[in-house]
Amino acid sequence: MSKLTNQGEHNVLEVYLKSQVRGDLYLGLYTDVAEPIEAAILADVAELPEGVNGYARIALADGDWTVTADLATHVQKTFLAAGGDWGQVYGYFVCDVITGDAGNLLFVEHFSDGPYNVLNGLSVLITPAIQAA
């Protein structure tokens, strides 16, 4: 079976993440204690309640990705709890729908220094990073 080379990994990230052909991508937060498994789908993720206490997924603009070798990073995004506490947040995900669970779950990352207990008025700052290795 063939494998991606370093240049191939770079090209895959460039084409996929910066391509307007694929549709929009969105960043969300999850409350699962364990990181979702590789076979997980969006419906499997315990997301914060959408539209409650200021929580909503954030759009990731195609032009805001930077790809260096096999690592793609996006500009930092801020989630702000407003109107009530969010409780324990364990990680973030990237999907292709702005709301609901009918889309595709593309990437997940469990916080290595979490969970974060997000109280009313506090923020969670995320710099999405995706490595093709």
Side-chain angles (χ1 to χ4, degrees), residues 16-17 19-28 40-43 45 47 50 57-60 62 65 93-108 130:
Y16 185 77
L17 294 174
S19 169
Q20 296 178 357
V21 187
R22 121 193 81 58
D24 295 328
L25 297 179
Y26 300 92
L27 179 67
I41 61 173
L42 195 51
V45 175
E47 183 178 13
E50 296 175 80
R57 293 179 191 162
I58 298 174
L60 299 175
D62 296 338
W65 288 101
F93 64 92
V94 175
C95 67
D96 62 0
V97 290
I98 193 166
T99 188
D101 61 10
N104 296 296
L105 178 64
L106 304 170
F107 309 102
V108 297
I130 299 162

Side-chain angles (χ1 to χ4, degrees), residues 44-126:
D44 296 334
V45 175
E47 183 178 13
L48 291 166
E50 296 175 80
V52 177
N53 296 328
Y55 176 75
R57 293 179 191 162
I58 298 174
L60 299 175
D62 296 338
D64 288 341
W65 288 101
T66 300
V67 179
T68 305
D70 64 352
L71 179 65
T73 55
H74 199 276
V75 298
Q76 188 175 72
K77 297 296 182 187
T78 302
F79 290 92
L80 173 64
D85 299 343
W86 288 351
Q88 301 291 327
V89 175
Y90 286 83
Y92 73 87
F93 64 92
V94 175
C95 67
D96 62 0
V97 290
I98 193 166
T99 188
D101 61 10
N104 296 296
L105 178 64
L106 304 170
F107 309 102
V108 297
E109 183 174 358
H110 210 63
F111 298 136
S112 60
D113 60 348
Y116 305 140
N117 185 24
V118 185
L119 304 175
N120 185 36
L122 296 181
S123 297
V124 177
L125 307 175
I126 305 289

